[in-house]
Amino acid sequence: MKAITSLASLVLAASLATAALAQDTTTQTPPPAEAGAGAAAATSGAAPAAESAAPTQGGEAPVGMAESATTLPNGMDITPVTQENGRWYNAEGIPTYKIENGVVDFATFNGFRRYSAECHVCHGPDGEGSTYAPALKESVLRMDYYDFQEVVASGKQDVNSAANLVMPAFGTNKNVWCYIDDIYVYLLARGTDELPRGRPAERADKSEEYTAQEDSCMSM
């Protein structure tokens, strides 16, 4: 399943998100990854989060991963296997990043740009979190990819927060939703420490396929 790229699909995605929003994604114990949604049988190379780890600014404990590990704590293998529309995907068709010799694939680079423009005000620069919103570079290591999409599309209310914090829905915001996979893979690269803070120094070129998909989504 590739990224949702039409407003009609967005409405469907938002309607399917209701059940997922009831899940408390702030818990420190990640839910099992669902079959067909990035689940992987192998868990070698992924170090579990330490129970005594100090919470981040957003209230989540840091996720521990072994160096060069390719399996996330949520069970997903992030190894890039195929490329389509200028974006990289793992063996199960879920977006991932590809960084070779310091050169970041264009989608991941664009994810940095879109995150910095649309998300950092609440979630902090570089996915690091803030005093009232979680560090998304940690959240994507715990969350299933499709749960991540659903929360962004339909929003979420943190009923356990004393301040009763609410994340707005971005499913109809093209500046977010047309680039949701780019934002996701950028946060993956940040969470696995494959990408340092700040603007990526080198990036791959923007492909014609990427441009065509982008134009199609933005024109809907």
Short mmCIF file of all heavy atoms in Angstrom, two decimals, residues 81-130:
data_model
loop_
_atom_site.label_atom_id
_atom_site.label_comp_id
_atom_site.label_asym_id
_atom_site.label_seq_id
_atom_site.Cartn_x
_atom_site.Cartn_y
_atom_site.Cartn_z
N VAL A 81 14.15 -1.48 -0.32
CA VAL A 81 14.17 -2.57 -1.29
C VAL A 81 13.78 -2.10 -2.69
O VAL A 81 14.45 -2.42 -3.67
CB VAL A 81 13.24 -3.72 -0.85
CG1 VAL A 81 13.17 -4.81 -1.92
CG2 VAL A 81 13.71 -4.30 0.47
N THR A 82 12.70 -1.34 -2.78
CA THR A 82 12.22 -0.87 -4.09
C THR A 82 12.00 0.63 -4.07
O THR A 82 11.81 1.23 -3.02
CB THR A 82 10.89 -1.56 -4.47
OG1 THR A 82 9.91 -1.26 -3.47
CG2 THR A 82 11.07 -3.07 -4.57
N GLN A 83 12.03 1.21 -5.27
CA GLN A 83 11.77 2.64 -5.41
C GLN A 83 10.60 2.85 -6.36
O GLN A 83 10.52 2.21 -7.41
CB GLN A 83 13.00 3.36 -5.95
CG GLN A 83 12.89 4.88 -5.93
CD GLN A 83 14.15 5.56 -6.43
OE1 GLN A 83 14.87 5.02 -7.26
NE2 GLN A 83 14.44 6.75 -5.91
N GLU A 84 9.69 3.73 -5.98
CA GLU A 84 8.53 4.03 -6.81
C GLU A 84 8.15 5.49 -6.61
O GLU A 84 8.12 5.98 -5.48
CB GLU A 84 7.35 3.13 -6.42
CG GLU A 84 6.12 3.32 -7.30
CD GLU A 84 5.01 2.34 -6.94
OE1 GLU A 84 5.31 1.25 -6.42
OE2 GLU A 84 3.84 2.68 -7.17
N ASN A 85 7.89 6.18 -7.68
CA ASN A 85 7.54 7.61 -7.63
C ASN A 85 8.58 8.42 -6.87
O ASN A 85 8.25 9.40 -6.20
CB ASN A 85 6.15 7.80 -7.01
CG ASN A 85 5.05 7.18 -7.83
OD1 ASN A 85 5.12 7.14 -9.05
ND2 ASN A 85 4.01 6.70 -7.16
N GLY A 86 9.83 8.01 -6.99
CA GLY A 86 10.91 8.76 -6.35
C GLY A 86 11.05 8.52 -4.86
O GLY A 86 11.83 9.18 -4.19
N ARG A 87 10.30 7.53 -4.32
CA ARG A 87 10.37 7.22 -2.90
C ARG A 87 10.81 5.76 -2.70
O ARG A 87 10.50 4.90 -3.52
CB ARG A 87 9.01 7.45 -2.21
CG ARG A 87 8.59 8.91 -2.18
CD ARG A 87 7.24 9.07 -1.49
NE ARG A 87 6.91 10.47 -1.28
CZ ARG A 87 6.23 11.21 -2.13
NH1 ARG A 87 5.80 10.69 -3.27
NH2 ARG A 87 5.97 12.48 -1.86
N TRP A 88 11.48 5.50 -1.60
CA TRP A 88 11.95 4.15 -1.29
C TRP A 88 10.97 3.44 -0.35
O TRP A 88 10.36 4.07 0.52
CB TRP A 88 13.34 4.20 -0.64
CG TRP A 88 14.41 4.48 -1.65
CD1 TRP A 88 14.96 5.69 -1.96
CD2 TRP A 88 15.05 3.52 -2.49
NE1 TRP A 88 15.89 5.55 -2.94
CE2 TRP A 88 15.98 4.23 -3.29
CE3 TRP A 88 14.95 2.13 -2.64
CZ2 TRP A 88 16.79 3.60 -4.23
CZ3 TRP A 88 15.75 1.50 -3.58
CH2 TRP A 88 16.66 2.22 -4.36
N TYR A 89 10.85 2.12 -0.54
CA TYR A 89 9.94 1.30 0.26
C TYR A 89 10.66 0.03 0.72
O TYR A 89 11.58 -0.46 0.05
CB TYR A 89 8.70 0.91 -0.56
CG TYR A 89 7.89 2.10 -1.00
CD1 TYR A 89 8.19 2.76 -2.19
CD2 TYR A 89 6.83 2.57 -0.23
CE1 TYR A 89 7.44 3.86 -2.59
CE2 TYR A 89 6.09 3.67 -0.62
CZ TYR A 89 6.40 4.31 -1.80
OH TYR A 89 5.67 5.41 -2.19
N ASN A 90 10.23 -0.50 1.87
CA ASN A 90 10.79 -1.75 2.35
C ASN A 90 10.12 -2.92 1.65
O ASN A 90 9.31 -2.74 0.73
CB ASN A 90 10.69 -1.85 3.88
CG ASN A 90 9.25 -2.03 4.37
OD1 ASN A 90 8.31 -2.13 3.58
ND2 ASN A 90 9.07 -2.06 5.68
N ALA A 91 10.41 -4.13 2.08
CA ALA A 91 9.89 -5.33 1.41
C ALA A 91 8.37 -5.42 1.50
O ALA A 91 7.74 -6.10 0.68
CB ALA A 91 10.52 -6.58 2.00
N GLU A 92 7.77 -4.74 2.46
CA GLU A 92 6.32 -4.80 2.63
C GLU A 92 5.60 -3.58 2.05
O GLU A 92 4.41 -3.38 2.29
CB GLU A 92 5.98 -4.96 4.11
CG GLU A 92 6.54 -6.27 4.67
CD GLU A 92 6.10 -6.52 6.09
OE1 GLU A 92 5.15 -5.86 6.54
OE2 GLU A 92 6.71 -7.38 6.73
N GLY A 93 6.33 -2.76 1.32
CA GLY A 93 5.71 -1.62 0.67
C GLY A 93 5.49 -0.43 1.56
O GLY A 93 4.68 0.45 1.23
N ILE A 94 6.20 -0.35 2.67
CA ILE A 94 6.08 0.77 3.59
C ILE A 94 7.25 1.73 3.35
O ILE A 94 8.39 1.29 3.18
CB ILE A 94 6.07 0.28 5.05
CG1 ILE A 94 4.81 -0.57 5.28
CG2 ILE A 94 6.10 1.45 6.03
CD1 ILE A 94 4.75 -1.20 6.63
N PRO A 95 7.00 3.03 3.33
CA PRO A 95 8.06 4.00 3.04
C PRO A 95 9.23 3.89 4.02
O PRO A 95 9.04 3.65 5.21
CB PRO A 95 7.35 5.35 3.18
CG PRO A 95 5.92 5.06 2.96
CD PRO A 95 5.69 3.69 3.52
N THR A 96 10.42 4.08 3.49
CA THR A 96 11.61 4.10 4.31
C THR A 96 12.61 5.06 3.67
O THR A 96 12.34 5.63 2.61
CB THR A 96 12.21 2.69 4.48
OG1 THR A 96 13.27 2.74 5.45
CG2 THR A 96 12.75 2.15 3.16
N TYR A 97 13.73 5.27 4.30
CA TYR A 97 14.74 6.19 3.78
C TYR A 97 15.92 5.42 3.20
O TYR A 97 16.11 4.22 3.46
CB TYR A 97 15.23 7.13 4.88
CG TYR A 97 15.87 6.43 6.06
CD1 TYR A 97 17.22 6.07 6.04
CD2 TYR A 97 15.13 6.12 7.19
CE1 TYR A 97 17.80 5.41 7.11
CE2 TYR A 97 15.70 5.46 8.27
CZ TYR A 97 17.03 5.11 8.23
OH TYR A 97 17.61 4.46 9.28
N LYS A 98 16.72 6.13 2.41
CA LYS A 98 17.96 5.56 1.90
C LYS A 98 19.04 6.63 1.93
O LYS A 98 18.89 7.68 1.30
CB LYS A 98 17.79 5.01 0.49
CG LYS A 98 19.03 4.24 -0.01
CD LYS A 98 18.76 3.52 -1.32
CE LYS A 98 19.95 2.67 -1.71
NZ LYS A 98 19.70 1.92 -2.97
N ILE A 99 20.08 6.37 2.67
CA ILE A 99 21.20 7.31 2.79
C ILE A 99 22.47 6.57 2.42
O ILE A 99 22.83 5.58 3.05
CB ILE A 99 21.31 7.88 4.22
CG1 ILE A 99 19.99 8.55 4.62
CG2 ILE A 99 22.46 8.87 4.32
CD1 ILE A 99 19.96 9.02 6.07
N GLU A 100 23.14 7.04 1.39
CA GLU A 100 24.37 6.41 0.93
C GLU A 100 25.49 7.44 0.86
O GLU A 100 25.36 8.47 0.21
CB GLU A 100 24.18 5.78 -0.45
CG GLU A 100 23.27 4.55 -0.47
CD GLU A 100 23.21 3.90 -1.83
OE1 GLU A 100 23.16 4.64 -2.84
OE2 GLU A 100 23.21 2.66 -1.89
N ASN A 101 26.59 7.14 1.57
CA ASN A 101 27.75 8.03 1.58
C ASN A 101 27.37 9.47 1.94
O ASN A 101 27.90 10.43 1.38
CB ASN A 101 28.46 8.00 0.22
CG ASN A 101 28.93 6.61 -0.16
OD1 ASN A 101 29.45 5.86 0.68
ND2 ASN A 101 28.76 6.25 -1.43
N GLY A 102 26.43 9.58 2.86
CA GLY A 102 26.02 10.90 3.32
C GLY A 102 24.99 11.59 2.44
O GLY A 102 24.53 12.68 2.78
N VAL A 103 24.62 10.97 1.32
CA VAL A 103 23.64 11.56 0.41
C VAL A 103 22.25 11.03 0.76
O VAL A 103 22.02 9.82 0.72
CB VAL A 103 23.98 11.24 -1.06
CG1 VAL A 103 22.92 11.86 -1.98
CG2 VAL A 103 25.36 11.75 -1.42
N VAL A 104 21.35 11.93 1.09
CA VAL A 104 20.00 11.57 1.52
C VAL A 104 19.07 11.52 0.31
O VAL A 104 19.14 12.38 -0.57
CB VAL A 104 19.47 12.62 2.53
CG1 VAL A 104 18.05 12.30 2.98
CG2 VAL A 104 20.41 12.71 3.72
N ASP A 105 18.22 10.49 0.25
CA ASP A 105 17.26 10.44 -0.85
C ASP A 105 16.37 11.67 -0.81
O ASP A 105 16.16 12.27 0.25
CB ASP A 105 16.43 9.15 -0.79
CG ASP A 105 15.50 9.12 0.41
OD1 ASP A 105 15.97 8.74 1.51
OD2 ASP A 105 14.32 9.48 0.26
N PHE A 106 15.82 12.05 -1.97
CA PHE A 106 15.10 13.31 -2.05
C PHE A 106 13.87 13.35 -1.15
O PHE A 106 13.57 14.38 -0.54
CB PHE A 106 14.67 13.61 -3.49
CG PHE A 106 13.97 14.93 -3.61
CD1 PHE A 106 14.69 16.11 -3.69
CD2 PHE A 106 12.57 15.01 -3.60
CE1 PHE A 106 14.04 17.35 -3.76
CE2 PHE A 106 11.92 16.23 -3.67
CZ PHE A 106 12.66 17.40 -3.75
N ALA A 107 13.15 12.24 -1.06
CA ALA A 107 11.93 12.23 -0.23
C ALA A 107 12.25 12.53 1.23
O ALA A 107 11.53 13.27 1.90
CB ALA A 107 11.22 10.89 -0.36
N THR A 108 13.34 11.95 1.73
CA THR A 108 13.74 12.21 3.12
C THR A 108 14.15 13.66 3.30
O THR A 108 13.81 14.30 4.31
CB THR A 108 14.87 11.26 3.53
OG1 THR A 108 14.43 9.91 3.39
CG2 THR A 108 15.30 11.50 4.98
N PHE A 109 14.89 14.18 2.33
CA PHE A 109 15.26 15.60 2.38
C PHE A 109 14.02 16.48 2.39
O PHE A 109 13.91 17.43 3.17
CB PHE A 109 16.14 15.95 1.18
CG PHE A 109 16.37 17.43 1.02
CD1 PHE A 109 17.29 18.10 1.80
CD2 PHE A 109 15.65 18.16 0.08
CE1 PHE A 109 17.49 19.48 1.67
CE2 PHE A 109 15.84 19.52 -0.06
CZ PHE A 109 16.76 20.18 0.73
N ASN A 110 13.06 16.16 1.52
CA ASN A 110 11.83 16.95 1.47
C ASN A 110 11.03 16.80 2.75
O ASN A 110 10.33 17.72 3.17
CB ASN A 110 10.99 16.54 0.26
CG ASN A 110 9.94 17.58 -0.07
OD1 ASN A 110 10.22 18.77 -0.12
ND2 ASN A 110 8.71 17.13 -0.30
N GLY A 111 11.13 15.62 3.40
CA GLY A 111 10.48 15.44 4.68
C GLY A 111 11.01 16.41 5.72
O GLY A 111 10.25 16.93 6.55
N PHE A 112 12.32 16.66 5.68
CA PHE A 112 12.90 17.67 6.58
C PHE A 112 12.27 19.02 6.31
O PHE A 112 11.89 19.75 7.25
CB PHE A 112 14.42 17.75 6.38
CG PHE A 112 15.03 19.03 6.86
CD1 PHE A 112 15.23 19.26 8.21
CD2 PHE A 112 15.37 20.04 5.95
CE1 PHE A 112 15.77 20.47 8.66
CE2 PHE A 112 15.91 21.24 6.39
CZ PHE A 112 16.10 21.46 7.75
N ARG A 113 12.15 19.39 5.04
CA ARG A 113 11.58 20.69 4.68
C ARG A 113 10.13 20.81 5.14
O ARG A 113 9.73 21.83 5.73
CB ARG A 113 11.67 20.90 3.17
CG ARG A 113 13.07 21.00 2.63
CD ARG A 113 13.05 21.08 1.11
NE ARG A 113 12.26 22.21 0.65
CZ ARG A 113 11.49 22.20 -0.45
NH1 ARG A 113 11.40 21.09 -1.17
NH2 ARG A 113 10.81 23.26 -0.79
N ARG A 114 9.35 19.77 4.88
CA ARG A 114 7.93 19.83 5.22
C ARG A 114 7.71 19.78 6.73
O ARG A 114 6.83 20.46 7.26
CB ARG A 114 7.19 18.68 4.53
CG ARG A 114 7.22 18.77 3.02
CD ARG A 114 6.43 19.97 2.53
NE ARG A 114 6.66 20.21 1.10
CZ ARG A 114 6.01 21.13 0.39
NH1 ARG A 114 5.10 21.89 0.97
NH2 ARG A 114 6.28 21.30 -0.89
N TYR A 115 8.50 18.96 7.41
CA TYR A 115 8.39 18.92 8.87
C TYR A 115 8.73 20.30 9.45
O TYR A 115 8.03 20.81 10.33
CB TYR A 115 9.33 17.87 9.45
CG TYR A 115 9.30 17.85 10.96
CD1 TYR A 115 8.40 17.05 11.67
CD2 TYR A 115 10.15 18.68 11.71
CE1 TYR A 115 8.34 17.07 13.05
CE2 TYR A 115 10.11 18.71 13.09
CZ TYR A 115 9.20 17.89 13.75
OH TYR A 115 9.15 17.93 15.13
N SER A 116 9.80 20.90 8.96
CA SER A 116 10.24 22.19 9.48
C SER A 116 9.20 23.27 9.22
O SER A 116 9.08 24.22 10.00
CB SER A 116 11.58 22.58 8.84
OG SER A 116 12.58 21.64 9.16
N ALA A 117 8.43 23.14 8.13
CA ALA A 117 7.44 24.14 7.79
C ALA A 117 6.12 23.94 8.51
O ALA A 117 5.44 24.91 8.87
CB ALA A 117 7.20 24.14 6.27
N GLU A 118 5.73 22.68 8.75
CA GLU A 118 4.39 22.39 9.23
C GLU A 118 4.30 21.80 10.64
O GLU A 118 3.25 21.89 11.27
CB GLU A 118 3.69 21.42 8.26
CG GLU A 118 3.64 21.89 6.81
CD GLU A 118 2.69 23.06 6.61
OE1 GLU A 118 1.80 23.26 7.46
OE2 GLU A 118 2.84 23.76 5.59
N CYS A 119 5.36 21.17 11.12
CA CYS A 119 5.25 20.37 12.34
C CYS A 119 6.10 20.85 13.52
O CYS A 119 5.79 20.54 14.67
CB CYS A 119 5.64 18.91 12.06
SG CYS A 119 4.86 18.19 10.61
N HIS A 120 7.17 21.58 13.24
CA HIS A 120 8.15 21.85 14.30
C HIS A 120 7.63 22.80 15.36
O HIS A 120 8.13 22.79 16.49
CB HIS A 120 9.45 22.40 13.70
CG HIS A 120 9.45 23.89 13.51
ND1 HIS A 120 8.82 24.50 12.45
CD2 HIS A 120 9.99 24.88 14.26
CE1 HIS A 120 8.97 25.81 12.56
NE2 HIS A 120 9.67 26.07 13.65
N VAL A 121 6.63 23.61 15.04
CA VAL A 121 6.12 24.58 16.02
C VAL A 121 5.62 23.87 17.27
O VAL A 121 5.86 24.32 18.40
CB VAL A 121 5.00 25.44 15.40
CG1 VAL A 121 4.35 26.31 16.46
CG2 VAL A 121 5.56 26.32 14.29
N CYS A 122 4.95 22.73 17.08
CA CYS A 122 4.46 21.96 18.23
C CYS A 122 5.44 20.88 18.67
O CYS A 122 5.68 20.70 19.86
CB CYS A 122 3.11 21.32 17.91
SG CYS A 122 1.74 22.49 17.71
N HIS A 123 5.98 20.15 17.69
CA HIS A 123 6.78 18.96 18.02
C HIS A 123 8.28 19.23 18.10
O HIS A 123 9.06 18.30 18.29
CB HIS A 123 6.51 17.86 17.00
CG HIS A 123 5.15 17.28 17.12
ND1 HIS A 123 4.82 16.34 18.08
CD2 HIS A 123 4.01 17.52 16.42
CE1 HIS A 123 3.54 16.00 17.94
NE2 HIS A 123 3.02 16.72 16.96
N GLY A 124 8.67 20.49 17.99
CA GLY A 124 10.07 20.85 18.16
C GLY A 124 10.89 20.64 16.91
O GLY A 124 10.57 19.80 16.06
N PRO A 125 11.99 21.38 16.77
CA PRO A 125 12.87 21.22 15.61
C PRO A 125 13.44 19.80 15.55
O PRO A 125 13.71 19.17 16.56
CB PRO A 125 13.98 22.24 15.86
CG PRO A 125 13.40 23.22 16.82
CD PRO A 125 12.46 22.44 17.68
N ASP A 126 13.56 19.28 14.32
CA ASP A 126 14.23 18.00 14.08
C ASP A 126 13.54 16.82 14.75
O ASP A 126 14.17 15.79 15.01
CB ASP A 126 15.69 18.07 14.52
CG ASP A 126 16.41 19.28 13.94
OD1 ASP A 126 16.36 19.46 12.72
OD2 ASP A 126 17.02 20.06 14.71
N GLY A 127 12.26 16.95 15.06
CA GLY A 127 11.52 15.85 15.67
C GLY A 127 11.86 15.59 17.12
O GLY A 127 11.53 14.53 17.66
N GLU A 128 12.48 16.56 17.80
CA GLU A 128 12.99 16.37 19.15
C GLU A 128 11.93 16.49 20.24
O GLU A 128 12.20 16.16 21.40
CB GLU A 128 14.12 17.37 19.44
CG GLU A 128 15.39 17.14 18.62
CD GLU A 128 16.18 15.95 19.13
OE1 GLU A 128 16.01 15.57 20.31
OE2 GLU A 128 16.99 15.40 18.36
N GLY A 129 10.75 16.98 19.92
CA GLY A 129 9.71 17.14 20.93
C GLY A 129 9.75 18.50 21.59
O GLY A 129 10.68 19.28 21.40
N SER A 130 8.70 18.78 22.36
CA SER A 130 8.61 20.06 23.07
C SER A 130 7.99 19.81 24.43
O SER A 130 7.72 18.66 24.80
CB SER A 130 7.75 21.05 22.27
OG SER A 130 6.39 20.63 22.27
#
